Amino acid sequence: MAPDPRILDVRADASPHLPTDLDEVGGPIGLRLDLTGVEDPDAVTRQVGRELWGASDLLARDGVGLAVLHDGSSTAEAVLAGFGRAVLPLTAHSDPAVVDGWLTGQLTAGPQRARPVAGSRSTGGSAELHDYVLAHGDPDGDRIAAELAAETARRYGPLGGMNIGEDQGRFLQLLTEILGAEVAVEVGTFTGMSALWIARGLAPGGRLVCCDISEEYPAVGRRFWEEADVADRIEVRTGPALATLRAMPNDPHIDLAFVDADKTGYAAYVDELLPRLRPGGVIAIDNVLWGGAVIDPSITDPDTEALRSLNDALAARDDLDTLMLTIGDGVTLVRRR
């Protein structure tokens, strides 16, 4: 396969870094990283992951993906897990033709290409700035949250990026405490990272209801909830979230809701939550910036369009107070007046 000039190689030597001319390509960019023959591939992927975050603004606009060529000694999932939470789509394979073919396909698809799982660091923030923020929240970090993140990455590789980061977790815990929340609802639990933080912030006797379509993923988090002594505050209800929400009492009783599930379902979830939200209660909606895709008119996939529509609709309502924050992949706070 003839090399595409829009596919740039990432250096994988002792000081790995992205090409310095990323912003000179002037259009879609594919990145290729060759780990074959590299002595310490884990160190390379960690460093490249930090480099990706440093160029997150540009890559959110122009990056179509990073393809990793490896020697087959590890699974693709294990190779990709080293990057942490992705800022652009990732793939890994031991066949060079597959690697180049995937990148070519992403470039050909253009605006309709596969999008990344959203990352934990605030939109536009560098890896160093993110580390600075965490260090000034808790210099020692949160051991239980870190272990849950590691277990999720071990089991599910890049899908671990669906869990929120520690900065966003601390934000949710503090918000829960400020509200004095006794009743909280979460739509989309995955392996339970956000549930861990919200449950920690609940008032004495408080309860968090987690809505998730799967029994498998939340089960991963239960051990960590128990270790944090919050498992008795969390109830997981499995099934379509809309059905779960509609089965709840139709009166204002929810203090806090966190929405982080399928993006095309967001508007319907908010519609069900609002009449059940007490005056002064808050809905926190995740991924509202979608890696910057919401401001790129060339991107018209269903998830991006759904988020744009929701963002516009909420901003136009005069019965709600809304505030969009750049923490994580964008969080909108919605408060009933």
Side-chain angles (χ1 to χ4, degrees), residues 168-321:
Q168 193 172 343
R170 292 189 181 280
F171 168 74
L172 284 177
Q173 179 177 340
L174 183 60
L175 178 63
T176 306
E177 293 170 349
I178 290 171
L179 291 170
E182 297 180 357
V183 179
V185 175
E186 177 180 76
V187 180
T189 297
F190 191 45
T191 60
M193 183 68 77
S194 51
L196 170 69
W197 290 104
I198 293 171
R200 282 170 162 170
L202 289 171
R207 192 81 178 159
L208 169 63
V209 176
C210 294
C211 309
D212 203 278
I213 198 66
S214 164
E215 294 181 358
E216 173 191 353
Y217 296 130
V220 175
R222 186 157 298 279
R223 171 166 64 90
F224 301 93
W225 299 341
E226 291 172 350
E227 187 173 356
D229 200 25
V230 297
D232 60 343
R233 306 176 194 176
I234 301 172
E235 176 188 354
V236 178
R237 299 184 186 178
T238 304
L242 273 181
T244 301
L245 295 175
R246 288 168 179 165
M248 293 179 178
N250 193 20
D251 58 64
H253 66 285
I254 296 172
D255 301 303
L256 172 70
F258 180 55
V259 179
D260 185 14
D262 56 300
K263 311 313 166 192
T264 55
Y266 269 23
Y269 301 143
V270 171
D271 284 346
E272 291 298 327
L273 287 165
L274 278 173
R276 295 170 170 84
L277 196 68
R278 68 160 171 83
V282 171
I283 303 174
I285 307 169
D286 201 16
N287 304 121
V288 294
L289 298 180
W290 207 225
V294 290
I295 61 170
D296 186 341
S298 71
I299 300 175
T300 58
D301 63 275
D303 287 336
T304 305
E305 293 283 20
L307 288 167
R308 282 196 195 109
S309 296
L310 178 65
N311 292 343
D312 292 345
L314 290 175
R317 290 185 59 161
D318 57 11
D319 61 328
L320 303 173
D321 293 317

Side-chain angles (χ1 to χ4, degrees), residues 20-36:
T20 57
D21 56 350
L22 283 178
D23 56 354
E24 298 176 7
V25 175
I29 303 167
L31 297 172
R32 177 175 48 204
L33 173 62
D34 187 351
L35 291 179
T36 58

Side-chain angles (χ1 to χ4, degrees), residues 22-100:
L22 283 178
D23 56 354
E24 298 176 7
V25 175
I29 303 167
L31 297 172
R32 177 175 48 204
L33 173 62
D34 187 351
L35 291 179
T36 58
V38 172
E39 280 190 24
D40 190 353
D42 289 340
V44 171
T45 56
R46 286 194 299 272
Q47 175 59 30
V48 171
R50 293 178 67 87
E51 292 273 334
L52 293 175
W53 276 108
S56 59
D57 286 345
L58 184 148
L59 292 175
R61 184 184 72 238
D62 295 332
V64 303
L66 168 68
V68 183
L69 179 64
H70 63 99
D71 61 11
S73 60
S74 298
T75 65
E77 290 76 13
V79 171
L80 296 179
F83 292 95
R85 294 162 67 90
V87 298
L88 78 171
L90 306 177
T91 193
H93 206 279
S94 57
D95 185 338
V98 172
V99 165
D100 288 346

